[in-house]
Amino acid sequence: MAYELQGRLFEIFDTQQITDTFKKREFVVETTSGMYNEYIKMQAVQDKCDLLDSMNKGDQVKVSFDLRGKLVNTKDGRQVYITNINAWRIDRQSGGTSAPQTPNYGQEPPAAGGDYEDVPF
């Protein structure tokens, strides 16, 4: 199943050659959920690592991704569950490298008032 996420490219890491035949590149997308910023760590694998070459920290992006999970049995007999967020498409959105709006943590809301003559109702 495919998912999409929009946000600001917060961090881009170097490509890691895990084995002779497998490489990955991790990155972080910052999104805003209500008043809080979320930092979602994702990865691109194999030929998708190159998708990040033309991107810069701060770019507004839309990422298409899949969730992948596997069960690994460790040497000491434990079972470990691993979940990866694998990006397969990254599109730069209009808006360039603008910074996200900073949330209003613990501050008073803006005072009411102002000119409401132009309100259409």
Side-chain angles (χ1 to χ4, degrees), residues 72-86:
V72 176
N73 292 309
T74 63
K75 291 179 182 178
D76 63 357
R78 293 182 302 124
Q79 292 184 331
V80 178
Y81 299 94
I82 299 173
T83 304
N84 290 312
I85 304 173
N86 288 345

Side-chain angles (χ1 to χ4, degrees), residues 9-20:
L9 200 50
F10 187 77
E11 188 73 57
I12 304 172
F13 298 99
D14 292 333
T15 300
Q16 298 173 313
Q17 190 72 42
I18 305 300
T19 67
D20 289 342

Side-chain angles (χ1 to χ4, degrees), residues 8 20 48 53 78 113 118:
R8 182 176 74 99
D20 289 342
K48 302 301 181 191
D53 287 345
R78 293 182 302 124
D118 61 344

Side-chain angles (χ1 to χ4, degrees), residues 3-93:
Y3 300 92
E4 287 185 346
L5 174 71
Q6 292 186 16
R8 182 176 74 99
L9 200 50
F10 187 77
E11 188 73 57
I12 304 172
F13 298 99
D14 292 333
T15 300
Q16 298 173 313
Q17 190 72 42
I18 305 300
T19 67
D20 289 342
T21 59
F22 181 75
K23 64 181 179 177
K24 72 177 183 175
R25 189 168 188 184
E26 296 176 325
F27 61 100
V28 177
V29 176
E30 178 184 25
T31 64
T32 302
S33 175
M35 289 181 46
Y36 302 101
N37 290 356
E38 303 287 341
Y39 298 88
I40 312 300
K41 187 176 181 183
M42 309 177 94
Q43 69 179 16
V45 297
Q46 304 300 72
D47 62 326
K48 302 301 181 191
C49 294
D50 299 339
L51 294 173
L52 292 157
D53 287 345
S54 64
M55 302 287 174
N56 297 303
K57 287 170 60 172
D59 285 349
Q60 294 294 325
V61 294
K62 179 168 77 171
V63 182
S64 299
F65 64 94
D66 294 322
L67 296 175
R68 301 285 181 191
K70 61 182 166 181
L71 171 63
V72 176
N73 292 309
T74 63
K75 291 179 182 178
D76 63 357
R78 293 182 302 124
Q79 292 184 331
V80 178
Y81 299 94
I82 299 173
T83 304
N84 290 312
I85 304 173
N86 288 345
W88 49 269
R89 182 175 180 163
I90 305 171
D91 294 316
R92 185 179 291 114
Q93 303 293 290

